Amino acid sequence: MPEIKVTPLGAGQDVGRSCILVSIAGKNVMLDCGMHMGYNDDRRFPDFSYITQNGRLTDFLDCVIISHFHLDHCGALPYFSEMVGYDGPIYMTHPTKAICPILLEDYRKITVDKKGETNFFTSQMIKDCMKKVVAVHLHQTVQVDEELEIKAYYAGHVLGAAMFQIKVGCESVAYTGDYNMTPDRHLGAAWIDKCRPDLLITESTYATTIRDSKRCRERDFLKKVHETVERGGKVLIPVFALGRAQELCILLETFWERMNLKAPIYFSTGLTEKANHYYKLFITWTNQKIRKTFVQRNMFEFKHIKAFDRAFADNPGPMVVFATPGMLHAGQSLQIFRKWAGNEKNMVIMPGYCVQGTVGHKILSGQRKLEMEGRQILEVKMQVEYMSFSAHADAKGIMQLIRQAEPRNVLLVHGEAKKMEFLKQKIEQEFHVNCYMPANGETTTIFTNPSIPVDISLGLLKRETAIGLLPDAKKPKLMHGTLIMKDNSFRLVSPEQALKELGLAEHQLRFTCRVHIQDPRKEHETVLRVYNHLKGQVFPFFFYPPRNGLELIILR
Amino acid sequence: MKLRYCLSGHPTLPCNVLKFKSTTIMLDCGLDMTSTLNFLPMPLVQSPRLSKLPGWVLKDGSTFLDKELKECSGHVFVDSVPEFCLPETELLDLSTVDVILISNYHCMMALPYITEYTGFTGTVYATEPTVQIGRLLMEELVNSIERVPKAQSASMWKNKEVQRLLPAPLKDAVEVSMWRKCYTMPEVNAALSKIQLVGYSQKIELFGAVQVTPLSSGYALGSSNWIIQSHYEKVSYVSGSSLLTTHPQPMDQASLKNSDVLILTGLTQIPTANPDGMVGEFCSNLAMTVRNGGNVLVPCYPSGVIYDLLECLYQYIDSAGLSNVPFYFISPVANSSLEFSQIFAEWLCHNKQTKVYLPEPPFPHAELIQTNKLKHYPSIHGDFSNDFKQPCVVFTGHPSLRFGDVVHFMELWGKSSLNTVIFTEPDFSYLDALAPYQPLAMKCVYCPIDTRLNFIQVSKLLKEVQPLHVVCPEQYTQPPPTQSHRTDLMIDCQPPPMSYRRAEVLTLPYKRRYEKIEIMPEVTTWYVMMLPRRLLNMIQKLGRSDHL
């Protein structure tokens, strides 16, 4: 029986290092190629030796698909393609292709230049890697080879985030990457058509959360920022340069404008200005409202938000600083955090998910004494707030997407095992489909039952559809014909044509048996009654009025 | 069997309907605007010359038409709101059209007439740039006509008996009964709301019977050719394609291969002119005029070639010593057009895409605007009159010279031989466009820039993609009437192309032999061989029982 095999090399019952291998109808596809923020050793990259021990990866993979530019989805790409070695196609959307190399370079700088690691990928490797990237449009059907095709859908997680459908013949897999089902201030909602894939691989970051209305969350956020600023405190918001940062900037910008506030808002690193440029040029990927009004006012030209200088951190008085990276695991956000952590007037707001092992995760789980580099202990007195602004679908959103796509099986990745377990039960109950949640390195096999495409000669089709009622396009219909399997193709033709084509003589078989029936009626009446009786009872599909040499009954 | 109805006779503004596997598909709905050349220009500012024209009097002295027709510069023009020649609406019931496929923004200008007046209930498919820029073109059109209130609309002259008595070209104008006034903005919005956005190479299923796919055609932002196919038949619709490297994404030729029928429309209207040479001539004429202290007027559409012209000028002005000459772009949609051009990175050629990745704006007119060399205004009223400095270069519409801000500049600058008007859009004959302004002292330069396929490129393309049959407008099967010796200016292929003309119905030749069905996987496990035995058992059982 045909089967689809899925093995997560990362993101199996875990968040971070997304990398999922899919084998479908003899094709091997790798979905995402991410790094893990929680590790600094070998575990940060997926274990590609799983794919092959000594051969080249190009021989084993037909293509690689990157869903969006976050490093936990693309951070291992240069390592994978240049250091391990892969020359096949890598697919991503245009904005992802534009932004991905910048984040990779940033990541490389932090790792190599700041932490002094060696044996890491170089700038040149990032460039060479990006040369292998093929950019795709939304909804464009990309023919990877004769049989394998992929198609991107809008995912609404960050600029350029996409879901992908992978299709070979009648079999298909849909992979969501990270997605968001509710439109926000700058992005639209994820959308997929009723593509009925054999398997839907969905993220499940917020598998158990049903988030309250976005408006409440926003009001809450603004209130907390406002209060802190009012009492002269400093607010640190660790973010990734692209994504939630822009969302929160728009939120604060409009609030500052409305309330006429004067406290400065800063955005760290030169990356940001560049980042906003990308949003301006890829405005077609944002939500409808921004797209409609961009000629009059571009939402990504901020009036109140200025560039941050390192020296500003020591300035007295209130301020709001957006600093990268988002999980407080390195870089500027961590530096500022160390400076401000000791003052209870200050506040840090974590607007997104934090991977285990990061400082962000530690303070969110209540830890107030942190061991920093060099055995130094940092006491956290500032207020720590968590506000979920990550653009992931919550449990309701995940269910909604499943309803939209109508998959035959569901597989959960990019979430925590305990939460997945809960969601898995819910999905199985509500949709009556199998739901899987493999751990890293564990293979899930799904059996598919694809229909068999056949060419039918037009003559036969017309003859067969002429019998009986008009065919209903959606319902199966019985047809008689001869199936010829030749050169890997199936053709259904009339028996006469088949005989002619194959140069065979026609033979007739007759099955007879003698049955005695006691019936006082006339012969033809009896025949009719036997026929009608059989017609009603047996083989509704196979039973036709006597024809094609099937002499029904001979009476004596 | 496929039937094809031709609703427009204009080879570059096509409107065809294809009946294919019980699906009715309209291919483009171009609006023939050459009809407006028969009308008087609509000045934005009261023009003493145009308002005092004598009425036209018939040879026998009767004057009943003098309100409708005016004599101007030795020609007779209709004094009324300009009207456009619609596609044929009587040839088939347009409410039966299931879908409309749009190939580029110039070929959708008749859309509101089709979607709002014919009972059409289907879906329109087009790419995002096509829709956005198409909207701008329509907005400009509606705006420039509605801005000049002209109470009068003339209809008497359209009477067949009357029309016969009129001088040429009015006498020979075809289908005048089909001419209609411009649509309104609400109608434009309603029409555009019926459009569904598609991307290149997207496979769109129509009722499970037909699959349609837009392909990049290289002519304009978002311009597409369409593949219409079932499992065994493939019709390619090629409309407005270009192989030149300008700003749009290059043409996708490979996907056109193995077509049973290839419908070929929208070739270059000026097959003898080389676009590159024309751009050079444009620049040198512009520079010469400005250096002599004159003004340059460029009648143009608000999107398309203007982006390329601005890019050329960006590279040219410093070397030509023109850096202090102001460039004005005047159109109600000038700002939108310039802004929109910068956000369609995915639809641009490779070079421009690479710039966006940096991230930089793909078109250099962003820099021209930033350095104040290029200024844009919604109309000649308002800010423009304060900023206006001569000598200058003005880009404005409409290229027919019958409405829009261009009329004002023709009246203003026409009397001086220092000034130049440079025609770059190929849609209108420049002599006809100029007719109501004669006599002119102003210099007129004709540099038509049409980047669409020429006949050499077509024959190369056909050799490459090898369609079984080619279908094209009849104009392409013979040399142009003015150059009847140029047999190279026609389509040459084997078998010879099938040609069509307005209001004609064509039966396309290709017949399929196979169809695709799917066998349910269960069939493979059915006990087909068991059947006769079960039947026998059944009959035997019957015989033993008292059923009968």
Side-chain angles (χ1 to χ4, degrees):
Chain A
M1 211 167 188
E3 56 188 32
I4 297 175
K5 282 189 176 167
V6 182
T7 315
L9 297 185
Q13 301 180 8
D14 185 18
V15 178
R17 204 178 70 184
S18 280
C19 182
I20 299 139
L21 294 174
V22 173
S23 301
I24 170 171
K27 305 281 169 186
N28 296 318
V29 177
M30 189 163 100
L31 304 170
D32 280 334
C33 188
M35 51 82 81
H36 203 296
M37 313 252 181
Y39 301 118
N40 279 325
D41 49 22
D42 280 351
R43 288 173 297 175
R44 71 179 155 208
F45 291 149
D47 179 12
F48 297 115
S49 66
Y50 179 91
I51 303 171
T52 166
Q53 294 284 351
N54 33 34
R56 283 189 63 73
L57 290 171
T58 319
D59 304 333
F60 291 86
L61 288 174
D62 291 280
C63 76
V64 175
I65 294 171
I66 302 294
S67 65
H68 64 283
F69 59 64
H70 276 157
L71 289 175
D72 59 329
H73 292 259
C74 71
L77 201 56
Y79 168 76
F80 162 77
S81 76
E82 305 310 308
M83 296 173 79
V84 184
Y86 169 77
D87 299 317
I90 302 167
Y91 294 97
M92 52 177 88
T93 65
H94 281 271
T96 310
K97 188 184 172 189
I99 295 164
C100 178
I102 294 172
L103 295 184
L104 286 172
E105 180 58 31
D106 204 50
Y107 171 42
R108 189 198 67 80
K109 264 192 208 148
I110 289 177
T111 319
V112 177
D113 299 354
K114 294 237 172 84
K115 293 191 190 158
E117 277 190 49
T118 50
N119 195 22
F120 204 70
F121 54 78
T122 63
S123 297
Q124 189 55 42
M125 285 178 182
I126 298 175
K127 281 189 193 123
D128 292 340
C129 165
M130 294 315 288
K131 281 186 195 137
K132 296 170 186 171
V133 171
V134 182
V136 299
H137 286 261
L138 277 186
H139 301 162
Q140 172 191 7
T141 304
V142 181
Q143 215 69 48
V144 177
D145 59 34
E146 296 254 301
E147 287 119 25
L148 174 63
E149 58 181 49
I150 61 172
K151 181 177 176 183
Y153 294 92
Y154 191 80
H157 173 64
V158 285
L159 193 75
M163 310 192 271
F164 280 89
Q165 187 194 26
I166 301 108
K167 200 171 165 192
V168 184
C170 301
E171 295 166 87
S172 68
V173 173
Y175 172 58
T176 64
D178 292 356
Y179 64 103
N180 185 14
M181 294 299 283
T182 43
D184 58 26
R185 274 166 197 270
H186 80 292
L187 294 172
W191 179 86
I192 193 162
D193 54 14
K194 198 172 291 227
C195 54
R196 297 200 175 96
D198 292 296
L199 174 67
L200 175 77
I201 303 175
T202 173
E203 66 133 328
S204 50
T205 322
Y206 289 118
T208 54
T209 328
I210 292 190
R211 285 182 294 176
D212 43 358
S213 92
K214 219 184 63 190
R215 205 168 277 259
C216 286
R217 254 177 298 144
E218 288 179 358
R219 207 182 304 135
D220 218 26
F221 169 78
L222 292 172
K223 202 175 129 208
K224 281 193 176 127
V225 173
H226 193 190
E227 279 170 6
T228 311
V229 171
E230 285 285 278
R231 65 166 179 262
K234 295 177 169 60
V235 183
L236 171 67
I237 309 172
V239 285
F240 289 99
L242 292 120
R244 287 309 84 193
Q246 277 69 25
E247 177 79 4
L248 295 173
C249 281
I250 293 177
L251 191 62
L252 278 188
E253 167 94 5
T254 37
F255 186 71
W256 249 238
E257 188 137 344
R258 200 176 68 220
M259 306 294 285
N260 201 13
L261 296 180
K262 292 282 175 278
I265 309 177
Y266 297 114
F267 206 128
S268 78
T269 74
L271 203 64
T272 324
E273 222 169 306
K274 222 172 172 185
N276 290 340
H277 257 300
Y278 282 113
Y279 278 82
K280 282 186 230 166
L281 293 171
F282 284 109
I283 209 124
T284 52
W285 284 80
T286 59
N287 69 26
Q288 196 140 22
K289 197 179 151 209
I290 291 187
R291 264 182 1 222
K292 259 194 166 155
T293 55
F294 90 100
V295 176
Q296 288 81 42
R297 176 161 185 216
N298 199 317
M299 283 302 278
F300 299 104
E301 274 160 19
F302 300 115
K303 276 189 226 149
H304 297 273
I305 302 170
K306 312 232 156 51
F308 182 72
D309 188 288
R310 192 169 300 191
F312 293 172
D314 298 320
N315 283 2
M319 66 173 87
V320 180
V321 176
F322 289 95
T324 56
M327 299 186 189
L328 287 179
H329 55 281
Q332 200 153 26
S333 61
L334 189 59
Q335 281 171 21
I336 300 174
F337 174 75
R338 283 171 132 180
K339 273 196 179 143
W340 292 358
N343 191 336
E344 60 274 5
K345 267 207 288 192
N346 297 341
M347 180 184 282
V348 57
I349 300 181
M350 307 298 298
Y353 184 88
C354 288
V355 168
Q356 231 169 20
T358 59
V359 173
H361 187 267
K362 281 177 196 155
I363 57 170
L364 280 184
S365 49
Q367 224 173 304
R368 285 296 172 265
K369 285 208 170 90
L370 300 173
E371 190 179 329
M372 306 307 281
E373 285 151 45
R375 308 245 158 229
Q376 207 183 332
I377 300 288
L378 180 70
E379 200 171 337
V380 182
K381 286 189 186 150
M382 77 198 295
Q383 296 177 54
V384 177
E385 293 288 344
Y386 172 70
M387 236 168 264
S388 145
F389 275 99
S390 2
H392 291 281
D394 62 0
K396 215 165 79 192
I398 296 170
M399 301 301 268
Q400 200 183 333
L401 187 90
I402 296 173
R403 207 165 296 124
Q404 258 182 30
E406 284 191 9
R408 296 193 182 87
N409 297 278
V410 177
L411 190 143
L412 303 179
V413 293
H414 201 281
E416 289 159 28
K418 253 191 258 159
K419 295 181 181 174
M420 276 184 178
E421 195 70 60
F422 173 81
L423 185 69
K424 171 175 145 67
Q425 276 177 16
K426 217 173 133 184
I427 290 170
E428 284 178 332
Q429 259 170 32
E430 190 166 333
F431 298 105
H432 308 289
V433 297
N434 290 324
C435 185
Y436 307 88
M437 39 173 285
N440 286 337
E442 188 188 325
T443 302
T444 303
T445 307
I446 286 146
F447 295 101
T448 58
N449 207 2
S451 301
I452 304 147
V454 176
D455 295 342
I456 182 167
S457 85
L458 210 61
L460 179 67
L461 182 68
K462 285 199 173 144
R463 199 171 81 193
E464 287 291 322
T465 46
I467 303 160
L469 295 166
L470 228 58
D472 184 341
K474 298 232 165 74
K475 294 233 171 77
K477 180 174 169 58
L478 186 86
M479 284 181 183
H480 298 82
T482 313
L483 193 65
I484 302 181
M485 299 186 226
K486 206 169 149 188
D487 309 329
N488 236 344
S489 78
F490 296 90
R491 277 184 307 135
L492 196 63
V493 297
S494 64
E496 302 87 63
Q497 194 186 335
L499 289 170
K500 210 167 113 196
E501 249 178 65
L502 302 173
L504 298 173
E506 186 177 348
H507 297 269
Q508 288 197 349
L509 281 182
R510 181 183 286 177
F511 294 85
T512 54
C513 102
R514 182 179 295 192
V515 182
H516 287 278
I517 295 173
Q518 310 283 329
D519 194 31
R521 272 173 273 256
K522 286 199 176 116
E523 275 184 19
H524 70 270
E525 266 178 46
T526 312
V527 172
L528 203 68
R529 281 171 66 86
V530 171
Y531 167 67
N532 281 337
H533 182 78
L534 287 175
K535 192 175 73 171
Q537 279 210 343
V538 234
F539 316 114
F541 280 108
F542 289 96
F543 211 77
Y544 274 88
R547 69 177 189 104
N548 281 2
L550 178 71
E551 293 167 45
L552 181 63
I553 289 162
I554 302 162
L555 280 180
R556 271 195 113 164
Chain B
M1 183 173 61
K2 279 151 293 190
L3 280 178
R4 203 162 146 289
Y5 301 79
C6 168
L7 310 186
S8 158
H10 198 300
T12 33
L13 298 168
C15 181
N16 295 307
V17 172
L18 187 69
K19 282 204 175 178
F20 181 37
K21 298 204 79 179
S22 27
T23 313
T24 309
I25 304 168
M26 180 180 275
L27 305 169
D28 280 330
C29 42
L31 185 62
D32 188 349
M33 292 201 247
T34 48
S35 56
T36 57
L37 293 174
N38 295 297
F39 292 78
L40 273 184
M42 305 209 303
L44 286 170
V45 182
Q46 179 81 8
S47 150
R49 184 179 76 90
L50 290 172
S51 55
K52 282 193 204 125
L53 293 171
W56 185 69
V57 183
L58 263 77
K59 269 190 207 124
D60 60 3
S62 51
T63 59
F64 68 98
L65 280 171
D66 70 343
K67 287 271 180 310
E68 292 200 349
L69 302 180
K70 300 277 166 167
E71 231 177 311
C72 176
S73 318
H75 294 264
V76 176
F77 294 97
V78 183
D79 185 15
S80 138
V81 190
E83 296 180 337
F84 309 119
C85 181
L86 263 58
E88 209 67 40
T89 50
E90 304 294 315
L91 197 59
L92 84 161
D93 180 1
L94 291 180
S95 67
T96 62
V97 171
D98 297 307
V99 295
I100 302 179
L101 309 180
I102 305 288
S103 57
N104 63 65
Y105 46 77
H106 286 298
C107 292
M108 63 184 282
M109 296 300 279
L111 195 62
Y113 293 118
I114 307 285
T115 59
E116 305 310 299
Y117 290 97
T118 61
F120 170 80
T121 55
T123 313
V124 185
Y125 292 98
T127 62
E128 185 166 7
T130 302
V131 177
Q132 298 296 3
I133 296 172
R135 178 196 297 276
L136 297 182
L137 292 184
M138 290 181 181
E139 227 177 284
E140 191 196 55
L141 187 68
V142 173
N143 190 297
S144 38
I145 286 176
E146 285 181 354
R147 237 182 335 157
V148 187
K150 203 160 199 171
Q152 153 142 290
S153 76
S155 57
M156 232 185 316
W157 70 275
K158 288 188 190 170
N159 184 310
K160 272 212 171 76
E161 294 304 308
V162 177
Q163 202 198 348
R164 261 186 329 127
L165 307 169
L166 303 180
L170 280 176
K171 187 172 67 176
D172 310 318
V174 286
E175 311 277 352
V176 286
S177 58
M178 299 288 297
W179 292 13
R180 289 285 177 276
K181 270 187 265 176
C182 188
Y183 33 74
T184 62
M185 240 11 241
E187 283 163 357
V188 170
N189 289 330
L192 295 179
S193 70
K194 297 181 169 79
I195 299 183
Q196 195 167 324
L197 298 183
V198 293
Y200 287 150
S201 307
Q202 180 177 348
K203 293 178 178 172
I204 305 139
E205 292 285 341
L206 305 180
F207 318 107
V210 184
Q211 194 182 60
V212 295
T213 309
L215 304 172
S216 173
S217 80
Y219 167 57
L221 272 175
S223 71
S224 25
N225 293 322
W226 289 84
I227 304 280
I228 301 129
Q229 62 186 342
S230 68
H231 289 290
Y232 286 96
E233 298 135 297
K234 177 168 171 181
V235 178
S236 296
Y237 174 61
V238 175
S239 160
S241 302
S242 176
L243 290 170
L244 296 177
T245 325
T246 57
H247 58 272
Q249 197 175 320
M251 176 180 179
D252 179 354
Q253 294 183 66
S255 309
L256 298 173
K257 277 185 186 163
N258 304 321
S259 305
D260 298 307
V261 174
L262 186 137
I263 304 170
L264 188 61
T265 65
L267 304 185
T268 175
Q269 303 188 66
I270 321 288
T272 47
N274 165 21
D276 281 332
M278 286 295 144
V279 171
E281 220 167 286
F282 168 83
C283 289
S284 61
N285 273 297
L286 182 141
M288 204 152 63
T289 307
V290 176
R291 262 189 229 121
N292 294 333
N295 301 297
V296 178
L297 179 62
V298 187
C300 62
Y301 294 115
S303 175
V305 176
I306 184 169
Y307 303 144
D308 298 316
L309 290 180
L310 288 174
E311 183 154 3
C312 284
L313 289 173
Y314 168 80
Q315 292 155 359
Y316 182 76
I317 45 177
D318 287 328
S319 63
L322 300 177
S323 19
N324 295 321
V325 180
F327 288 79
Y328 301 118
F329 177 18
I330 304 171
S331 159
V333 297
N335 185 23
S336 301
S337 165
L338 293 171
E339 289 286 338
F340 269 113
S341 66
Q342 308 285 21
I343 63 157
F344 292 124
E346 292 155 276
W347 310 86
L348 292 172
C349 64
H350 182 75
N351 273 344
K352 296 227 175 302
Q353 261 177 18
T354 326
K355 283 186 89 177
V356 174
Y357 288 171
L358 287 178
E360 274 170 27
F363 285 96
H365 53 240
E367 203 185 312
L368 287 176
I369 296 170
Q370 225 165 35
T371 53
N372 255 335
K373 284 177 183 151
L374 173 68
K375 292 181 184 177
H376 53 83
Y377 302 90
S379 87
I380 51 166
H381 301 297
D383 289 346
F384 176 68
S385 36
N386 304 329
D387 301 355
F388 183 43
K389 273 192 204 75
Q390 305 195 60
C392 63
V393 180
V394 169
F395 294 87
T396 188
H398 185 269
S400 67
L401 305 189
R402 290 302 179 271
F403 45 86
D405 297 281
V406 74
V407 176
H408 175 75
F409 289 100
M410 283 305 294
E411 293 283 317
L412 186 72
W413 290 343
K415 293 165 218 92
S416 165
S417 61
L418 281 178
N419 303 328
T420 307
V421 53
I422 309 182
F423 292 87
T424 55
E425 302 287 355
D427 286 356
F428 300 90
S429 142
Y430 80 106
L431 288 173
D432 291 345
L434 287 171
Y437 300 97
Q438 298 291 5
L440 271 178
M442 179 185 211
K443 273 200 292 292
C444 304
V445 180
Y446 184 53
C447 301
I449 298 166
D450 195 332
T451 57
R452 286 172 279 207
L453 296 176
N454 62 33
F455 290 99
I456 301 168
Q457 291 164 331
V458 165
S459 63
K460 230 179 108 193
L461 174 75
L462 291 179
K463 268 196 202 104
E464 182 110 3
V465 305
Q466 300 254 345
L468 286 183
H469 301 278
V470 174
V471 178
C472 67
E474 63 170 349
Q475 289 93 328
Y476 296 159
T477 58
Q478 60 218 21
T482 50
Q483 292 156 297
S484 52
H485 61 287
R486 293 289 299 267
T487 49
D488 55 326
L489 300 183
M490 55 186 270
I491 293 178
D492 175 32
C493 67
Q494 275 313 317
M498 300 174 66
S499 71
Y500 65 82
R501 63 174 75 176
R502 188 175 169 115
E504 211 171 55
V505 183
L506 222 65
T507 307
L508 300 186
Y510 186 69
K511 267 213 148 89
R512 65 192 194 277
R513 285 180 51 224
Y514 282 96
E515 193 52 73
K516 204 86 164 182
I517 56 164
E518 281 182 1
I519 295 187
M520 289 163 62
E522 290 83 353
V523 173
T524 51
T525 52
W526 275 351
Y527 299 99
V528 181
M529 290 311 289
M530 292 288 288
L531 179 66
R533 195 186 298 162
R534 281 185 68 189
L535 202 63
L536 284 183
N537 283 343
M538 204 64 110
I539 296 170
Q540 272 170 344
K541 235 196 256 164
L542 266 174
R544 280 195 297 271
S545 71
D546 302 327
H547 271 302
L548 297 169

